[in-house]
Amino acid sequence: MKRKSFLQQSAVFSAASFLTFNSNAFSRSIFNGLASYGNDNFYQLFKNPSNIYRPFVRWWWNGNKIERAELARELKLLKDAGIGGVEICPISFPSNTDNMGIRSVEWLSEEWIDLLKFTLEEAKRLDMTCDLLAGTGFPFGAEFLEGEERAQVVVVAVKKLQGPLKTEISLFDLLKEADPATLSPYSGRKPEILEVNIVPDPLISINQIKNVTSKISDNVLKVDLPEGKFAVHALVKIDGFMKVIQGAPGGSGPVLNHYNEKAVQKYLNKITGSIQDRIGPLAGSIRSFFVDSLEMEGANWTGDMRLEFQKRRGYDLYPYLPFLLFKTGRMGNTTDLNYNVKTSPEMERMLSRMRYDFEYTKAELFRERFSNNFSKWCTDNKIKSRAQAYGRGHFPLEGSFGIDIPEGETWMKYGIGEEISEKDFTKYPWHLGRGNTMINKYVSSAAHLKGKKLVSSEELTNTDMVFNESLELFKIAGDQSTISGITHPIFHGFNYSPKNAAFPGWITYGGYFNEQNTMWPYFKHYTDYRARQSALLQQCTFFADIAIMAPTGDMWSEVGAQMEPFPYRVTPSYQLLIWESIHQNGNACDYVSEQIIADADFKNGWMNYGSRKYHTLFLIEVKSILPQTAKKIYDFVKAGGRVFCIEAYPQQSLGWFNHKQNDLEVQKWITELKKYPKQFIYLAKPASNFKDWYKSVQNDYNIKPYVKIAAPNTFVTQVRYQSDDAEVFIINNSSSHNSIDFDATFLPEITDKRQAWIWDAANGNKFKLNLKDRNFKIKLFPADSKIIVFNQDKDGENWQPVPEIPNHALSLKSAWQMKLKHMDGTSRNEEMLKLTDLKDIPHLVHFAGTVSYKYVLELSNATDFSYLDLGKVSGISTLLVNGQTLDVSWYGRRAYLIKNLLKAGTNQIEVKVTTVMVNYMKSLTENATAQYWTNNKGKEQPLQSMGLIGPVNLF
């Protein structure tokens, strides 16, 4: 890559960076990379990535029980493990852990700020980058917020009754019924009954509602109902209804009202004012301020909400508001669609339109009053913004547009790497089998649409698999994250925990990134792997020429906005299978929205938005759109573009105001579009097997893949990136067990006048690929991935993959001598006549540590053997042949090149396997922390396989 191109394409480089090269580890690292690599050394940046490309960690300051010596020790520990930066995240102290008598330091106190300064200086000394959470816990909030500055929610209480009936209902009962299922209720919250109505069931007209608020006396409502079905219906507003989840001392008060602009500005300025008044500007020491999960538990109100709604939507929301709301559960998710009274079909259609208007208005206000102010605050302080800009009632795509570093989420869950049916995949709430959440593709698409190459992820979030930190599972989940468009992981997380804390240390959340973890000595293998991927991808542009649009408007109308990235309902449930199938079949796509289509222009069959170009648009069960969107889709088709309507044609407009005229306008454009049957096409979704369905769509409609995959597989996915003079492909097998034959043919424009290479992110090596007829065939082993680069380089070593095990291989079947070194410091020797999973041996089932397997092998024909395949290994393996140590193997196929290491006569093979901890932790019945994460209800973990299982073959 030429130097000019490199400078232009660096995801994190800007002119402003020159101002802080000497003081900012983030900028200095970039400068060092530029200065060192010079011209045409794209590969060198990949092989030896700068610290800024290394994974970061979320660093939980547990209870703010922080001390200088420990802060310095932990930073050094992280640096040595290959971590390039930290996200400083004050959080509450774990309840089941001994605090060792260490006192808490209050957030934003002078002492806390001095400790922050020390941390920033120490990180700078280590050439590490720091991000800072703009608060404690999540979402934002603090004790200093008052009155209207605190989050508000409007909810309904419905008590269904059968008349004739005379009864009394206390306001206490109505308030209790309305009380939302908030994870973290604030003790100072103030409920207020706005109105109480008697509502017939079913409700035909709004005029049937009888307001009985004035009939409340002494906190009791007397009810006198005629014959029939009715409901007592209360609309309740709760001020300051929730406190910060997991807030640290000083920041554990009520949640901020994100819809109140003055409150937002007061909150943010309090942070920078307190810190910078004491230690000076943070620019140069902090890369970014961070917004964590917008888990606002359904907050939906502010003092001028009614006025703003009427101004923006053209009518008064208030009379209809009680009937737009559903019963909600944790995170404000819709849990009961039938909680309210039944309504006539005509009224339900009206309410659905109004519900969309309410959700859209909330999203607008959130963006204007919180997101835009947060971004401006960061800019004013010369610090980048980084945010998980999604949640319940926020724009899933556009929410990330104004953020410098948009962020998604990737979770560790049982099911990753396993065979998962499409039916199970679409169940609430986890999308089993995937580490990347549904929001990642939205976040990365938003970044692509705005020309951003740095896309971070809260990565390896772990609340179900704690102490089961397998580097192989990390790789599978991480590779899925990369496939979804993430270019930089921020691991979740690293707990501030003194070295002498009681085993296993302080753990607020899972992800046992700790020096006492059995995998910790090997963790740098994984951080190196991810650093190389990040360094490569942040120099390139994600390729996509297909756009997809989900029915967000229809979802908001029908069930309300859902909590991203884990909505109670996905609309439609198969939505994610569409983009996955496109990539599994050699194409690539971005999400778009009505706003994107409205702002796009069309020429020669392409939809153009900034630098992005799409020749095809998939509408996924989109039934309702704005008239202007319908017109723009017509313009796209008329210009030669193609639109596929899956399961539905758009048929009506969104929202209530002037909807009849808007419906006619939409229908007019859809009628015009249907005059282009070869370009405006209805597709029925398949009953199953979306992968093959999309392949048939490719064939039937001549959608040309840039890489034609002979036999697509749901486990195998690819993405394509481009630089000025290189094409980059990542091909990933996300199965823990299956080896998959991959046969792909690249387009001539990719391969012509370029050499193909395999770049190995695990070790930084590269090998020349000699493709015949542009075809690439390989067996992808479990957890395998390949980076293929096409560029102008010519000279290099040819790729020689380890061959498959032949039938005549020599199997090492006789006794193995074992030495088991338990992590508790004990050891024992055993003989194993047949290699067996340690979890199946009763007296070893709770082992955790390193097992050394030794095998004595007599050979007369040593030169006949070049490879040793260990078969199945559960753990991290190291092979020694006649005392010579080979590379650590931590994922996938454990096969080694051992040519010239064997000798005639007696040979000693030694395999060291380091296991996960979970089986041991399950056995520690007196350890509250161990039991909480492995055996408690809802967190019960199964026993895990351990050790060398084989068969071991020499060939």
Side-chain angles (χ1 to χ4, degrees), residues 59-67 71 74 88-95 97-109 111-112 115 135-137 143 245-252 494-498 506-509:
W59 190 14
W60 287 299
W61 283 7
N62 283 317
N64 272 336
K65 296 180 181 295
I66 48 177
E67 298 173 333
L71 289 167
E74 293 188 11
I88 298 168
C89 183
I91 202 163
S92 62
F93 192 77
S95 59
T97 304
D98 180 8
N99 65 18
M100 304 166 61
I102 301 174
R103 66 182 182 85
S104 294
V105 181
E106 186 169 308
W107 176 62
L108 296 186
S109 67
E111 184 181 3
W112 187 89
L115 286 166
T136 80
E143 285 88 340
I245 303 169
Q246 301 288 84
S252 59
F494 186 83
N495 283 275
Y496 177 97
S497 181
W506 297 353
I507 304 177
T508 289
Y509 281 117

Side-chain angles (χ1 to χ4, degrees), residues 469-471 474 512-514 516-524 876 914-917:
E469 278 80 15
S470 153
L471 294 188
F474 280 179
Y512 188 54
F513 298 100
N514 186 286
Q516 296 182 84
N517 195 326
T518 52
M519 66 87 181
W520 188 257
Y522 306 96
F523 188 48
K524 194 171 184 296
I876 301 165
T914 300
T915 75
V916 295
M917 294 173 60

Side-chain angles (χ1 to χ4, degrees), residues 183-420:
L183 174 68
S184 185
Y186 176 54
S187 60
R189 57 188 181 161
K190 297 177 181 178
E192 175 190 356
I193 290 185
L194 300 178
E195 65 178 37
V196 181
N197 297 295
I198 301 295
V199 182
D201 189 1
L203 177 65
I204 308 300
S205 167
I206 205 79
N207 297 324
Q208 295 176 286
I209 299 169
K210 182 180 179 181
N211 190 310
V212 293
T213 311
S214 61
K215 296 186 180 299
I216 298 172
S217 178
D218 296 327
N219 292 321
V220 172
L221 174 67
K222 293 184 178 180
V223 178
D224 187 356
L225 298 177
E227 186 173 350
K229 293 182 178 180
F230 296 88
V232 174
H233 204 294
L235 186 66
V236 178
K237 178 166 76 80
I238 308 175
D239 291 339
F241 76 103
M242 70 174 294
K243 70 175 181 179
V244 177
I245 303 169
Q246 301 288 84
S252 59
V255 164
L256 170 70
N257 185 344
H258 291 65
Y259 300 113
N260 184 322
E261 187 166 13
K262 288 184 179 179
V264 170
Q265 292 171 345
K266 170 185 172 178
Y267 174 84
L268 296 174
N269 290 333
K270 172 74 171 178
I271 295 172
T272 42
S274 299
I275 298 173
Q276 296 184 147
D277 285 352
R278 183 163 179 82
I279 64 173
L282 286 169
S285 297
I286 292 290
R287 178 188 71 159
S288 72
F289 287 121
F290 175 55
V291 178
D292 194 9
S293 301
L294 292 170
E295 297 178 19
M296 294 164 56
E297 302 274 14
N300 61 6
W301 203 253
T302 194
D304 64 346
M305 178 67 78
R306 182 176 180 180
L307 181 65
E308 282 293 327
F309 183 94
Q310 188 162 358
K311 182 172 69 175
R312 294 161 188 258
R313 305 284 87 87
Y315 64 97
D316 186 6
L317 166 77
Y318 193 75
Y320 309 95
L321 180 59
F323 307 100
L324 307 182
L325 304 173
F326 298 112
K327 189 68 173 176
T328 58
R330 186 184 166 192
M331 299 300 157
N333 262 320
T334 302
T335 58
D336 187 353
L337 296 175
N338 301 309
Y339 179 66
N340 223 310
V341 297
K342 294 180 181 179
T343 56
S344 66
E346 182 178 353
M347 189 168 185
E348 180 52 40
R349 286 191 289 270
M350 176 187 72
L351 293 173
S352 293
R353 291 178 179 275
M354 292 178 172
R355 188 176 294 115
Y356 169 80
D357 286 340
F358 185 39
E359 299 292 356
Y360 193 85
T361 301
K362 288 189 296 178
E364 279 186 322
L365 287 174
F366 183 89
R367 178 170 59 186
E368 294 166 15
R369 295 180 174 181
F370 177 76
S371 298
N372 291 351
N373 278 286
F374 171 73
S375 295
K376 183 178 183 301
W377 173 69
C378 292
T379 300
D380 290 346
N381 286 282
K382 298 181 174 58
I383 290 173
K384 292 182 180 293
S385 59
R386 179 175 138 244
Q388 297 175 2
Y390 45 83
R392 185 176 189 263
H394 316 309
F395 295 115
L397 188 72
E398 293 91 337
S400 295
F401 280 1
I403 303 300
D404 293 319
I405 308 173
E407 178 160 296
E409 296 183 32
T410 298
W411 283 62
M412 293 292 293
K413 285 282 177 182
Y414 281 104
I416 290 174
E418 304 298 325
E419 192 84 44
I420 302 295

Side-chain angles (χ1 to χ4, degrees), residues 3 128 160 212 370 456 627 670 679 720 894:
R3 181 176 176 83
M128 297 177 74
K160 295 179 180 179
V212 293
F370 177 76
S456 65
I670 298 304
Q679 293 168 257
R720 174 186 180 187
R894 311 303 175 90

Side-chain angles (χ1 to χ4, degrees), residues 92 124 131 249 253 265 272-273 282 396 408 441 498 501 503 549 577 579 583 656 704 743 843 849 875 908 942:
S92 62
K124 190 177 297 184
D131 290 351
Q265 292 171 345
T272 42
L282 286 169
K441 189 66 173 175
F503 179 78
M549 190 173 90
L577 292 171
W579 82 256
H583 281 263
W656 174 250
K704 184 185 292 185
D743 182 340
H843 68 280
Q908 186 173 83

Side-chain angles (χ1 to χ4, degrees), residues 396-397 400 438-447 550 552 575 591-592:
L397 188 72
S400 295
M438 66 162 295
I439 203 66
N440 282 15
K441 189 66 173 175
Y442 278 102
V443 169
S444 65
S445 295
T552 302
Q575 182 191 139
Y591 273 112
V592 296

